[in-house]
Amino acid sequence: MFNIKVSDIIKRTFLSISPDLELTAAIDLLLKHQVIGAPVIDDSGKLLGYLSEQDCLAPLTTNSYFCNGRIQVREVMSQDVLTCQLDDSLLDLAARMRHHNLPKRYPVIDQGKVIGMAERSQVLQALSKSYRSCSAA
């Protein structure tokens, strides 16, 4: 029986971004860490939002054209963030990830704080391992 939980695949080392960070500095971090987005958290680790590459496109396009001021992450981050919990089933998370316009990286929340990330590649790896063990039996 497949009973893998998010806690089994969580990535506890992850990039997080401050809401006060200037947008191009945040983009530099995303590019440096080779991730398509990161949770925006406060000093206590509470999730405030999520900044994705897609969130950055419109303000950069507008600001590049008009050259009007500096943009902070808090102004462009998504505030409706889909998250998961340590005890969530990996199968349930995989089902959520299958939908085209849902995130492929989920902040993992424990007691109101972001403690890690669950990424599609980790879910895929765990499901593949489980599948292989079924075929070997």
Side-chain angles (χ1 to χ4, degrees), residues 2 4-6 9 83-85 88-100 102-106 118-128 130:
F2 191 86
I4 298 176
K5 303 284 184 194
V6 168
I9 60 111
T83 64
C84 61
Q85 308 286 321
D88 288 353
S89 160
L90 200 63
L91 288 176
D92 291 342
L93 181 58
R96 289 169 66 186
M97 288 181 167
R98 288 180 49 211
H99 296 283
H100 175 68
L102 289 183
K104 308 306 180 206
R105 300 182 81 230
Y106 285 74
E119 299 179 359
R120 179 176 50 188
S121 60
Q122 297 164 282
V123 172
L124 186 60
Q125 183 178 17
L127 291 175
S128 177
S130 176

Side-chain angles (χ1 to χ4, degrees), residues 126-137:
L127 291 175
S128 177
K129 184 177 179 181
S130 176
Y131 175 75
R132 287 179 187 175
S133 70
C134 291
S135 358

Side-chain angles (χ1 to χ4, degrees), residues 21-22 25 35 40-41 46 48-49 54-55 73 82 123-124:
L21 194 60
E22 196 274 327
V35 293
V40 179
I41 62 173
K46 181 182 174 205
L48 301 175
Q54 186 171 355
D55 295 327
V73 166
L82 295 177
V123 172
L124 186 60

Side-chain angles (χ1 to χ4, degrees), residues 12-118:
R12 292 193 185 267
T13 303
F14 60 96
L15 171 67
S16 63
I17 297 175
S18 164
D20 300 320
L21 194 60
E22 196 274 327
L23 185 60
T24 56
I27 292 168
D28 290 344
L29 286 172
L30 294 176
L31 295 172
K32 176 183 176 186
H33 291 272
Q34 298 179 345
V35 293
I36 60 172
V40 179
I41 62 173
D42 67 13
D43 292 336
S44 70
K46 181 182 174 205
L47 181 67
L48 301 175
Y50 194 87
L51 182 71
S52 69
E53 290 175 333
Q54 186 171 355
D55 295 327
C56 299
L57 289 175
L60 276 183
T61 304
T62 303
N63 201 41
S64 295
Y65 183 77
F66 293 109
C67 288
N68 58 350
R70 298 171 57 85
I71 303 167
Q72 287 185 316
V73 166
R74 72 172 64 254
E75 299 173 56
V76 298
M77 69 184 186
S78 299
Q79 293 181 346
D80 249 350
V81 183
L82 295 177
T83 64
C84 61
Q85 308 286 321
L86 287 169
D87 289 335
D88 288 353
S89 160
L90 200 63
L91 288 176
D92 291 342
L93 181 58
R96 289 169 66 186
M97 288 181 167
R98 288 180 49 211
H99 296 283
H100 175 68
N101 43 343
L102 289 183
K104 308 306 180 206
R105 300 182 81 230
Y106 285 74
V108 181
I109 306 296
D110 186 34
Q111 298 180 5
K113 296 183 179 185
V114 181
I115 60 161
M117 294 295 293

